[in-house]
């Protein structure tokens, strides 16, 4: 007998093929609302739910998950869309997919950074419009990224992978975190316990902290003003960390030279004011969007599901 599974959103084709072979799953590859997931779970007597961060699983929704569901497995490293205390209260194992998306998310952060420093979006737009006029040596200049000072909020797995890449660009690394890391993880980076104290020293700031109450709007009019005038800002973490009106003001006023953004407060209905600004490079939340990583995330979620349905502990529990 195959285990019964509901998948709440389109997943990588290889993972979908594995699920088709190994699970009893009415997968249609469509994006489901929480209500649709709950209805499908009940109708299919699902034993496992594979979800993503596109739906917020509130305590009320988690309380309505049928008892035959033995695990809620999110295909994401982020977990702020899940009411973890509610899962814990009813003893529902919940898991995420850490580690496997570290490198690709760090690659994307560097892509955002380089494009912000070097006006990638504007150059691409010029070429697509046909170019035809050569630029003088004083026109369309970006800023050099090499050798700049990079401040990182959160030197966790992804933050450290960004730091590793940035060192290849001769960058000096600062980081803000509640606790100092051991030297083998710090790799010469300078620690600031106080995030605000780090900001005046950053030529570029890159956010790699989780969402949640502790970081909500941590970048706001006041903190953007603490950066040196003309700094670059990168966010491949969560839109919830940023007051977007303050960010737009900073991009318009020149307080920020440019920004590279992969995440927004409201996705996919992001604030269209960003699209009008020339000095922002935009991505539609694609940090983990490579074949390799999306496969790895799907398989990691399936490993967690298989473990729990076999009566073993989850591999990546988000509560204990
Ligand atoms: C994650 O894994 O948290 C990514 O941001 C995709 O949601």
């Amino acid at each position: 007998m195959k285990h019964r599974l509901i998948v709440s959103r389109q997943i990588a084709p290889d993972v979908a093929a594995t699920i088709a072979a190994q699970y009893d799953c009415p997968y249609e590859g469509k994006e489901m609302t929480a209500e649709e997931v709950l209805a499908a779970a009940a109708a299919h007597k699902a034993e496992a739910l594979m979800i993503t961060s596109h739906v917020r699983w509130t305590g009320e929704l988690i309380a309505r998950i049928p008892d035959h569901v033995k695990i809620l497995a999110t295909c994401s490293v982020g977990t702020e869309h899940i009411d973890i205390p509610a899962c814990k209260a009813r003893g529902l194992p919940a898991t995420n997919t850490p580690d496997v998306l570290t490198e690709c998310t760090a690659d994307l952060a560097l892509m955002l950074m380089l494009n912000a420093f070097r006006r990638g979006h504007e150059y691409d737009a010029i070429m697509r419009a046909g170019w035809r006029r050569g630029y003088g040596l004083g026109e369309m200049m970006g800023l050099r990224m090499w050798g700049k000072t990079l401040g990182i909020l959160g030197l966790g797995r992804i933050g450290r992978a960004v730091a590793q890449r940035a060192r290849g660009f001769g960058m000096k690394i600062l980081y803000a975190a509640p606790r100092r890391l051991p030297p083998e993880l710090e790799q010469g980076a300078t620690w600031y316990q106080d995030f605000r104290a780090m900001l005046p020293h950053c030529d570029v700031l890159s956010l790699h902290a989780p969402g949640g109450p502790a970081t909500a709007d941590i970048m706001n009019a006041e903190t953007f003003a603490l950066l040196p005038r003309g700094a670059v800002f990168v966010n491949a973490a969560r839109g919830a960390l940023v007051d977007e009106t303050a960010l737009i003001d900073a991009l318009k006023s020149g307080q920020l030279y440019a920004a590279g953004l992969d995440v927004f407060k409201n996705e996919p209905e992001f604030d269209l004011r960003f699209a009008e600004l020339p000095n922002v490079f935009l991505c539609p939340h694609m940090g983990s969007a490579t074949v390799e990583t999306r496969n790895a995330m799907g398989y990691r979620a399936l490993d967690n599901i298989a473990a729990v349905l076999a009566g073993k502990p989850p591999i990546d529990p988000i509560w204990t």
Side-chain angles (χ1 to χ4, degrees):
M1 280 273 287
K2 291 177 176 177
H3 287 297
R4 295 178 302 280
L5 170 66
I6 297 295
V7 178
S8 73
R9 195 181 190 184
Q10 195 204 45
I11 48 170
D14 288 356
V15 180
T18 300
I19 288 174
Q22 297 181 359
Y23 285 85
D24 175 356
C25 176
Y27 173 69
E28 291 173 18
K30 69 166 195 163
E31 187 164 311
M32 298 163 82
T33 63
E35 293 299 336
E36 288 170 332
V37 174
L38 289 173
H44 197 61
K45 298 257 179 309
E47 298 162 273
L49 303 182
M50 188 192 280
I51 61 163
T52 71
S53 56
H54 80 287
V55 162
R56 181 158 293 281
W57 283 87
T58 61
E60 185 266 326
L61 290 167
I62 283 167
R64 289 167 53 206
I65 293 175
D67 285 343
H68 44 75
V69 172
K70 301 298 178 211
I71 172 170
L72 185 66
T74 183
C75 253
S76 63
V77 64
T79 58
E80 72 283 348
H81 55 293
I82 300 172
D83 186 326
I84 296 173
C87 293
K88 193 170 179 173
R90 60 170 292 180
L92 177 65
T95 58
N96 66 342
T97 58
D99 302 321
V100 293
L101 43 65
T102 300
E103 304 304 337
C104 281
T105 306
D107 285 350
L108 185 116
L110 266 287
M111 175 175 130
L112 299 175
M113 209 178 289
L114 274 167
N115 275 285
F117 271 100
R118 298 300 302 271
R119 305 179 69 160
H121 146 68
E122 291 170 275
Y123 295 168
D124 186 71
I126 288 166
M127 298 310 288
R128 287 170 199 278
W131 190 15
R132 297 299 182 271
R133 180 180 83 76
Y135 289 104
L137 297 190
E139 288 185 284
M140 291 307 296
M141 296 180 292
L143 287 182
R144 185 175 71 175
M145 190 164 108
W146 174 268
K148 291 289 195 309
T149 297
L150 165 64
I152 298 177
L153 173 63
L155 207 63
R157 286 174 291 242
I158 297 173
R160 292 198 299 274
V162 169
Q164 182 191 28
R165 286 155 176 74
R167 281 192 286 272
F169 284 88
M171 298 174 92
K172 180 178 174 197
I173 314 296
L174 319 177
Y175 73 101
R179 278 174 300 281
R180 187 168 181 177
L181 294 181
E184 66 274 18
L185 297 182
E186 206 173 56
Q187 294 278 317
T190 305
W191 175 58
Y192 287 80
Q193 190 167 27
D194 179 359
F195 173 57
R196 286 158 186 263
M198 178 181 79
L199 295 179
H201 307 286
C202 302
D203 296 317
V204 47
L205 173 70
S206 193
L207 304 185
H208 298 288
T215 55
D217 284 353
I218 194 165
M219 289 312 297
N220 50 51
E222 196 192 331
T223 45
F224 278 120
L226 289 173
L227 289 165
R229 187 166 175 82
V232 165
F233 175 69
V234 168
N235 189 6
R238 284 292 182 262
L241 274 60
V242 179
D243 174 337
E244 293 186 332
T245 295
L247 171 55
I248 288 166
D249 289 346
L251 285 163
K252 282 184 172 167
S253 70
Q255 171 59 15
L256 288 179
Y257 175 75
L261 307 174
D262 184 46
V263 288
F264 302 87
K265 266 212 162 45
N266 294 312
E267 297 175 5
E269 292 89 10
F270 82 110
D271 189 330
L272 289 171
R273 290 179 296 169
F274 284 117
E276 291 164 11
L277 298 175
N279 54 343
V280 59
F281 181 80
L282 301 167
C283 290
H285 200 147
M286 289 292 163
S288 62
T290 62
V291 172
E292 296 89 340
T293 294
R294 287 285 166 83
N295 280 345
M297 290 166 77
Y299 291 130
R300 184 79 167 233
L302 287 179
D303 288 347
N304 275 290
I305 289 168
V308 169
L309 296 185
K312 296 181 196 156
I315 304 159
D316 303 301
I318 62 177
W319 65 265
T320 48

